[in-house]
Amino acid sequence: MTGVYDSARVAAAYVFDRPPVHELILRRAGLDRRARRALDIGCGAGLSTAALTPYADHVTGLEPVKTMLAHS
């Protein structure tokens, strides 16, 4: 099974053209304390995973598409 992000060109475009919204979303979530763990499923190049680091002691990102991992 192939997906849209299996293309190296599409994966690179996603990484470099995605607006930096992750930290803004997490700030607006209004978390009242730091989490022990955070899991980012389908983390792509890890942009949202990195944005989770101020909010959790241990952050894990899972990405099944190799072309996306090439940009992490």
Side-chain angles (χ1 to χ4, degrees):
M1 184 166 136
T2 62
V4 68
Y5 296 110
D6 289 330
S7 160
R9 183 180 59 79
V10 172
Y14 175 88
V15 172
F16 297 110
D17 291 335
R18 183 153 171 102
V21 298
H22 304 91
E23 190 171 338
L24 177 64
I25 292 168
L26 288 167
R27 275 196 313 241
R28 288 192 178 172
L31 303 175
D32 61 350
R33 63 183 172 86
R34 188 172 174 85
R36 288 182 37 209
R37 294 185 189 102
L39 176 61
D40 182 7
I41 299 172
C43 68
L47 300 175
S48 55
T49 310
L52 287 169
T53 58
Y55 301 96
D57 296 332
H58 181 78
V59 178
T60 301
L62 299 175
E63 176 55 55
V65 180
K66 288 190 265 187
T67 52
M68 292 301 290
L69 290 173
H71 299 285
S72 61

